[in-house]
């Protein structure tokens, strides 16, 4: 079948599955809508958490980031997984025992204060919206790349799908669609990675192949790298030969920066509301603990494969491109050539540099993610350290150069002084995942699977975030603050009214997220630091204190949240937005690591203020005693 | 008496958490960040050891830690008769 039809088939089938699940799992009560009725098995919740957690960026861009940063990317890999250890030990079991619907619920009840509750609601909404804007954009980009529709049409299609299962099914619908989405995305990610590993190293598992040896000798442009060399040694040697100042396996970032960034990402992960609420959906405290383990297992399946994919991708760029003749490499295959290539692959011979095997290069050049400028006019591609030209590729319409390449209008940049080989190629980092099936000569259905996987990753994360936004509005803001009965302290809304409010809030949130996806604020990349930094400086410490420090009172908690948030917020604004060059620094702290400092300040301020003011009421201290003990965790309730 | 039991249960939980957090810290911040250059002088198959910890090993350690914690806590829950 033709590629485009296969993509429509795979994406269409996966969407039909998600909508089918949503109809089957329609929410009947607020408990269904907010916490899926509290009856999700720990394994299913683990899968749903993994899908919730891994976004379009994890799926499409992370391997590219890893291959670009080399060892420094360890901060992201550790930060985005290590947070689950904190969740399992310090947060999830006690919040499950507490047994309410949302994070602001915990903050408001534990600190017996609607001010604390409202601060928490504002944080949830801010953190989740900054995060969701990027997701809707991701949906649009995946649609536009694979289904050849305009990005905005893609965003609207994505909104439609999320609308159906988030508004209809609430947490119950989202949980079971996320389980399906996890299966789609992990299969789509690992199949090409396994073939790539087999092709590069002969090892089946990418995690093993990562430390394995290369099957085929290649010429990196300066020297021949013999077969049997370790993948990472081949990369380090080639980096040295091609003028890169730092080998792939060495770090550029300072120890202090890496440390602060890793802490901020770990504590931010553990403090992100859309991750925390997933642990409200399991039946018992012990399920919450083990469920964090399952979640990390399912996440690790992608996160341990990812750095291998990044290294193989970087190696392939050098091995397959260096001094390869553009015109013959990227030409259309004749039937005879195709048969010859297939036969050679079947015999285990490396064909990656052969004529007509580089069509993927031309394909992604057509979509603008690759650019080649034949600066020395030899018709061959050269790869080396340094940018080939200024900025991202801009093309001169459909004009073609002497070798058939797209003509670039960018200003060429010279190679750094003393470097023999001049880089001629721009490769977008997303290529490392997107072009894998083509580089590995896999059948078309694998490419279709990647399209479905990328969409699954983006949709699942968007849905989880939208649900958190809607529940904090309908449950916390409307139910617990605005329509609170002052005498009983309970909501004046009936369960049915609150459910309707939750659905309306979800629909509005999707509208806003879609708007942000179509008109992205110019700082989407920077706001990630915001989301993690703010979560690390607010929710993480306030929940830890609520569980582990019985003496913590509302004064301490509110002061801690406000000071922690302000420090983080103001620092990022000054560093990223006011002073755009990023030179504003105190003690040379990067904006990405400031969440850690905000968190430490939060802990200190909260401790000092709480000890200087009255201790919390007796019933609150008893509540803390009770959440520490597993027995008696009923289903999550509204009141 | 009940209160003492709850107190002892909580102390044992905290002790378990502390022990596991030490491993958590050493595997990630120790091996993957603070002493990564030192460990990189040791070859581990095709990897440098520090690099392996930063990109692979720490994640495996995290996984083991959560499952160990869940298992140990189940036992402690039973011991103090506070299980569900």
């Amino acid at each position: 079948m033709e590629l485009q039809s296969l993509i429509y088939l795979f994406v269409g089938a996966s969407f039909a599955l998600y909508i089918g699940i949503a109809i089957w799992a329609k929410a009947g009560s607020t408990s269904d809508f907010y916490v899926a009725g509290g009856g999700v098995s720990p394994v299913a919740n683990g899968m749903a958490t993994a899908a919730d957690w891994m976004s379009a960026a994890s799926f499409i861009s992370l391997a590219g980031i890893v291959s670009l940063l080399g060892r420094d990317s360890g901060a992201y890999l550790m930060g985005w997984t290590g947070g689950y250890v904190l969740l399992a030990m310090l947060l999830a079991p006690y919040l499950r025992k507490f047994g309410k619907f949302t994070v602001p619920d915990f903050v408001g009840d534990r600190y017996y204060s609607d001010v604390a509750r409202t601060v928490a609601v504002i944080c949830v909404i801010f953190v989740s919206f900054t995060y969701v804007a990027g997701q809707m954009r991701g949906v649009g980009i995946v649609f536009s790349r694979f289904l050849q529709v305009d990005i905005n049409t893609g965003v609207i299609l994505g909104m439609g799908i999320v609308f159906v299962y988030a508004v209809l099914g609430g947490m119950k619908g989202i949980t079971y669609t996320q389980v399906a989405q996890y299966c789609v995305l992990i299969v789509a990610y690992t199949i090409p990675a396994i073939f790539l590993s087999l092709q590069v190293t002969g090892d089946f598992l990418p995690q093993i192949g990562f430390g394995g040896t290369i099957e085929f000798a290649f010429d990196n442009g300066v020297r021949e790298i013999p077969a049997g060399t370790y993948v990472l040694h081949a990369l380090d040697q080639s980096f040295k030969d091609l003028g890169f100042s730092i080998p792939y396996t060495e770090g550029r970032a300072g120890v202090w920066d890496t440390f602060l960034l890793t802490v901020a990402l770990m504590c931010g992960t553990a403090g992100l509301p859309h991750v925390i609420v997933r642990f409200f959906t399991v039946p018992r405290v012990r399920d919450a603990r083990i469920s964090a383990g399952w979640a990390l297992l399912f996440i690790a399946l992608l996160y341990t494969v990812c750095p291998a994919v990044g290294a193989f991708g970087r190696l392939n760029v050098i091995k397959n491109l260096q001094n390869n003749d553009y015109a013959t490499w990227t030409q259309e295959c004749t039937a005879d050539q195709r048969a010859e290539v297939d036969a050679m692959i079947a015999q285990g011979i490396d064909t990656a540099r052969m004529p007509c095997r580089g069509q993927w290069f031309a394909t992604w050049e057509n979509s603008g993610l690759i650019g080649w400028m034949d600066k020395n006019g030899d018709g061959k591609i050269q790869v080396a350290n340094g940018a080939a030209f200024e900025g991202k590729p801009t093309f001169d319409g459909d004009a073609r150069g002497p070798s058939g390449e797209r003509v670039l209008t960018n200003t060429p940049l010279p190679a750094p002084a003393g470097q023999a080989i001049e880089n001629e190629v721009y490769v977008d980092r997303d290529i490392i995942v997107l072009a894998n099936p083509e580089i590995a000569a896999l059948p078309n259905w694998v490419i279709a699977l990647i399209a479905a996987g990328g969409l699954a990753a983006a949709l699942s994360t968007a849905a989880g975030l939208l649900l958190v936004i809607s529940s904090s509005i309908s449950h916390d803001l409307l139910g617990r603050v605005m329509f609170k009965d002052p005498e009983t302290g309970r909501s004046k809304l009936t369960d049915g009214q609150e459910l309707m409010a939750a659905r309306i809030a979800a629909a509005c949130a999707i509208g806003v997220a879609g708007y942000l996806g179509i008109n992205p604020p110019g700082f989407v990349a920077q706001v990630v630091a915001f989301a993690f930094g703010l979560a690390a400086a607010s929710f993480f410490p306030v929940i830890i204190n609520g569980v582990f420090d019985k003496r913590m009172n509302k004064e301490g908690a509110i002061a801690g949240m406000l000071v922690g948030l302000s420090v983080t917020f103001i620092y990022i604004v000054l560093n990223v937005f006011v002073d755009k060059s990023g030179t504003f620094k105190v003690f040379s702290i990067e904006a990405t690591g400031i969440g850690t400092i905000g968190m430490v300040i939060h802990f200190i301020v909260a401790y000092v203020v709480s000890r200087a003011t009255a201790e919390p009421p007796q019933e609150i201290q008893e509540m803390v005693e009770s959440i520490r003990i597993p027995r008696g965790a009923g289903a999550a309730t509204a009141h | 008496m009940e209160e003492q039991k709850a107190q002892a249960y909580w102390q044992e939980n905290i002790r378990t958490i502390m022990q596991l957090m030490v491993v958590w810290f050493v595997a990630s911040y120790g091996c993957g960040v603070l002493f990564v250059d030192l460990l990189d002088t040791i070859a581990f198959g095709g990897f440098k050891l520090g690099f392996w910890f930063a990109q692979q090993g720490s994640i495996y350690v995290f996984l083991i830690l959560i499952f160990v914690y869940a298992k140990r806590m189940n036992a402690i829950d039973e011991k103090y008769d506070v299980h569900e």
Side-chain angles (χ1 to χ4, degrees):
Chain A
M1 213 190 280
E2 212 185 308
L3 176 60
Q4 208 52 45
S5 329
L6 274 168
I7 291 179
Y8 285 124
L9 181 73
F10 272 61
V11 171
S14 64
F15 280 8
L17 175 68
Y18 307 151
I19 291 176
I21 292 171
I23 293 169
W24 166 73
K26 189 173 183 300
S29 65
T30 52
S31 169
D32 280 351
F33 194 91
Y34 295 139
V35 294
V40 180
S41 94
V43 181
N45 184 52
M47 275 192 195
T49 309
D52 210 330
W53 179 234
M54 294 188 289
S55 59
S58 291
F59 188 88
I60 296 171
S61 306
L62 187 60
I65 294 172
V66 170
S67 90
L68 187 72
L69 295 181
R71 195 186 76 188
D72 287 339
S73 62
Y76 295 98
L77 296 165
M78 289 187 286
W80 285 332
T81 52
Y84 282 85
V85 179
L86 302 175
L87 260 171
M89 295 184 193
L90 306 179
L91 306 172
Y94 318 108
L95 290 174
R96 176 63 198 86
K97 174 65 198 293
F98 173 69
K100 295 286 174 68
F101 288 155
T102 67
V103 174
D105 245 349
F106 176 80
V107 176
D109 287 3
R110 166 63 182 84
Y111 296 113
Y112 46 98
S113 157
D114 282 342
V115 175
R117 193 189 305 274
T118 311
V119 172
V121 171
I122 293 168
C123 289
V124 167
I125 293 175
F126 189 80
V127 167
S128 302
F129 264 125
T130 51
Y131 216 98
V132 86
Q135 295 310 313
M136 294 314 283
R137 192 73 187 162
V139 174
I141 289 171
V142 178
F143 265 111
S144 73
R145 270 187 204 154
F146 289 101
L147 301 180
Q148 262 119 57
V149 297
D150 170 66
I151 288 191
N152 294 348
T153 316
V155 171
I156 293 167
L157 279 170
M159 280 164 64
I161 301 288
V162 175
F163 183 85
V164 171
Y165 67 77
V167 173
L168 200 67
M171 191 58 146
K172 202 169 160 201
I174 285 176
T175 302
Y176 294 106
T177 39
Q178 279 173 338
V179 171
Q181 282 161 338
Y182 176 76
C183 298
V184 172
L185 82 86
I186 200 67
V187 169
Y189 201 84
T190 43
I191 286 184
I194 287 170
F195 278 99
L196 197 65
S197 178
L198 281 170
Q199 217 167 56
V200 174
T201 67
D203 292 311
F204 183 80
L205 289 178
Q207 292 93 333
I208 304 290
F210 192 17
T213 55
I214 55 172
E215 288 262 88
F216 307 105
F218 71 96
D219 187 340
N220 69 14
V222 172
R223 76 180 76 224
E224 172 97 357
I225 305 277
T229 310
Y230 284 121
V231 172
L232 294 169
H233 290 187
L235 264 177
D236 282 350
Q237 183 63 51
S238 302
F239 267 45
K240 212 179 281 171
D241 292 341
L242 298 177
F244 291 91
S245 56
I246 294 189
Y248 188 77
T249 58
E250 281 177 28
R252 189 185 313 258
V255 168
W256 179 234
D257 287 335
T258 310
F259 188 88
L260 289 181
L261 172 61
T262 313
V263 176
L265 293 176
M266 276 197 198
C267 299
T269 300
L272 280 177
H274 71 287
V275 176
I276 294 176
V277 289
R278 290 242 43 102
F279 295 92
F280 293 171
T281 65
V282 295
R284 295 171 303 177
V285 172
R286 58 189 296 165
D287 298 326
R289 294 183 195 126
I290 199 82
S291 192
W294 289 114
L296 184 58
L297 176 71
F298 296 127
I299 291 167
L301 283 179
L302 193 146
Y303 269 66
T304 54
V305 167
C306 172
V309 170
F312 298 153
R314 199 72 191 259
L315 188 73
N316 270 339
V317 166
I318 299 170
K319 167 175 164 286
N320 300 343
L321 268 57
Q322 191 70 285
N323 292 326
N324 209 340
D325 187 78
Y326 180 90
T328 45
W329 190 49
T330 61
Q331 71 193 0
E332 290 277 337
C333 286
T334 63
D336 285 354
Q337 281 175 319
R338 184 89 230 159
E340 193 193 352
V341 164
D342 286 345
M344 289 173 76
I345 290 174
Q347 293 166 33
I349 299 170
D350 187 21
T351 62
R353 292 177 63 93
M354 283 182 52
C356 92
R357 275 288 272 114
Q359 269 181 59
W360 62 268
F361 192 84
T363 309
W364 291 104
E365 190 185 8
N366 286 337
S367 62
L369 294 189
I370 285 179
W372 175 55
M373 188 183 276
D374 192 8
K375 293 199 270 187
N376 58 1
D378 66 351
K380 292 175 176 172
I381 305 165
Q382 270 89 37
V383 213
N385 175 41
F389 41 78
E390 278 178 7
K392 297 197 166 205
T394 48
F395 297 97
D396 183 13
D398 288 328
R400 295 282 161 172
S403 301
E405 80 276 18
R406 291 186 76 182
V407 176
L408 290 151
T409 57
N410 303 62
T411 316
L413 290 171
Q419 187 176 310
I421 301 176
E422 191 169 359
N423 186 29
E424 299 182 336
V425 197
Y426 169 91
V427 179
D428 189 280
R429 63 184 188 205
D430 293 354
I431 286 295
I432 300 288
V433 167
L434 293 176
N436 262 343
E438 292 151 298
I439 296 172
L442 296 177
N444 278 347
W445 63 265
V446 180
I447 301 171
L449 195 58
I450 294 238
L455 283 171
L459 290 174
S460 57
T461 309
L465 288 160
L466 289 165
L467 188 96
V468 163
I469 295 170
S470 77
S471 58
S472 59
I473 293 173
S474 65
H475 181 70
D476 299 309
L477 210 56
L478 296 181
R480 303 300 304 273
V481 179
M482 288 165 71
F483 290 94
K484 189 170 86 166
D485 189 330
E487 278 171 25
T488 59
R490 294 180 178 188
S491 171
K492 283 191 278 194
L493 299 175
T494 65
D495 198 59
Q497 283 171 326
E498 196 179 308
L499 184 59
M500 181 49 74
R503 289 204 159 113
I504 293 169
C508 295
I510 291 169
V512 176
Y515 176 82
L516 291 173
I518 292 171
N519 306 296
F523 46 85
V524 167
Q526 289 95 325
V527 295
V528 175
F530 247 137
F532 282 93
L534 294 181
S538 58
F539 294 120
F540 182 73
V542 88
I543 297 171
I544 298 273
N545 279 336
V547 175
F548 289 86
D549 183 4
K550 209 160 62 173
R551 177 68 176 75
M552 184 53 62
N553 57 15
K554 75 172 174 192
E555 290 83 0
I558 294 171
M561 276 202 286
L562 290 179
V563 175
L565 280 173
S566 317
V567 167
T568 311
F569 190 92
I570 293 169
Y571 196 91
I572 296 179
V573 168
L574 287 178
N575 182 280
V576 179
F577 300 109
V578 177
D579 176 66
K580 287 189 195 304
S581 55
T583 45
F584 168 83
K585 277 176 194 166
V586 180
F587 300 122
S588 73
I589 296 163
E590 300 276 349
T592 44
I594 189 66
T596 306
I597 307 295
M599 177 181 77
V600 172
I601 294 176
H602 179 149
F603 274 120
I604 295 170
V605 167
Y607 184 85
V608 171
V609 172
S610 68
R611 294 321 188 259
T613 45
E615 65 175 46
Q618 196 54 37
E619 73 263 21
I620 297 296
Q621 301 197 30
E622 276 162 20
M623 183 184 104
V624 177
E625 294 279 351
S626 128
I627 58 174
R628 290 176 175 183
I629 289 179
R631 178 166 289 174
T637 52
H639 306 299
Chain B
M1 189 57 212
E2 271 301 305
E3 201 152 297
Q4 272 176 352
K5 203 178 76 174
Q7 201 65 28
Y9 167 78
W10 186 245
Q11 288 309 320
E12 197 153 345
N13 180 16
I14 299 279
R15 215 164 30 242
T16 312
I17 291 174
M18 287 297 189
Q19 287 165 1
L20 297 177
M21 293 283 275
V22 168
V23 181
W24 168 82
F25 187 87
V26 169
S28 51
Y29 295 96
C31 301
V33 181
L34 299 174
F35 302 110
V36 65
D37 286 319
L38 187 69
L39 289 179
D40 270 350
T41 57
I42 303 166
F44 176 61
F47 295 102
K48 293 171 176 174
L49 191 57
F51 178 87
W52 182 78
F53 264 105
Q55 301 220 330
Q56 298 271 298
S58 55
I59 302 177
Y60 300 130
V61 174
F62 296 154
L63 250 182
I64 295 167
L65 286 176
I66 301 183
F67 282 99
V68 167
Y69 178 69
K71 195 168 181 302
R72 278 217 213 162
M73 284 311 291
N74 285 347
I76 295 174
D77 287 354
E78 305 247 342
K79 181 175 155 195
Y80 287 92
D81 190 33
V82 292
H83 56 285
E84 298 146 276

